[in-house]
Amino acid sequence: MNPERAETIAIQALGWLAANDDLFPVFLGSTGASADDLRAQAADPAFLGSVLDFLTMDDAWVVAFCDAAGLPYDTPLRARHVIAGEAGMHWT
């Protein structure tokens, strides 16, 4: 997966979260961001990584997103690793 594809998946995840009436407020609360902040940061790879971090906290969210997007279930985590690059790798 290349970085552009990973960012596209993260943007899809952000759109899916924004359309989810139950989960979107949880996401906003956990990030401390407003809807305006999301629009301003939607192109920032660090922010997109945080979207994928949030999504991958719960297997049910991953399954629901991937089912809606027609993606394999490992895609969000693979995209997160690509966005993070080597700086995001933790071996401990």
Side-chain angles (χ1 to χ4, degrees):
M1 176 180 305
N2 64 41
E4 293 80 20
R5 177 72 177 133
E7 289 181 16
T8 298
I9 291 164
I11 291 168
Q12 287 178 296
L14 179 59
W16 178 83
L17 284 170
N20 187 313
D21 293 338
D22 294 327
L23 195 51
F24 191 55
V26 177
F27 174 71
L28 290 177
S30 72
T31 62
S34 69
D36 289 335
D37 294 333
L38 298 184
R39 284 188 279 284
Q41 296 179 6
D44 177 14
F47 175 74
L48 293 174
S50 70
V51 170
L52 294 173
D53 283 340
F54 177 82
L55 179 70
T56 58
M57 288 183 356
D58 189 302
D59 289 344
W61 301 343
V62 171
V63 168
F65 165 66
C66 289
D67 285 350
L71 297 170
Y73 298 138
D74 67 337
T75 302
L77 189 56
R78 288 181 41 234
R80 178 61 184 118
H81 289 299
V82 169
I83 290 172
E86 289 183 23
M89 301 196 84
H90 301 282
W91 300 104
T92 58

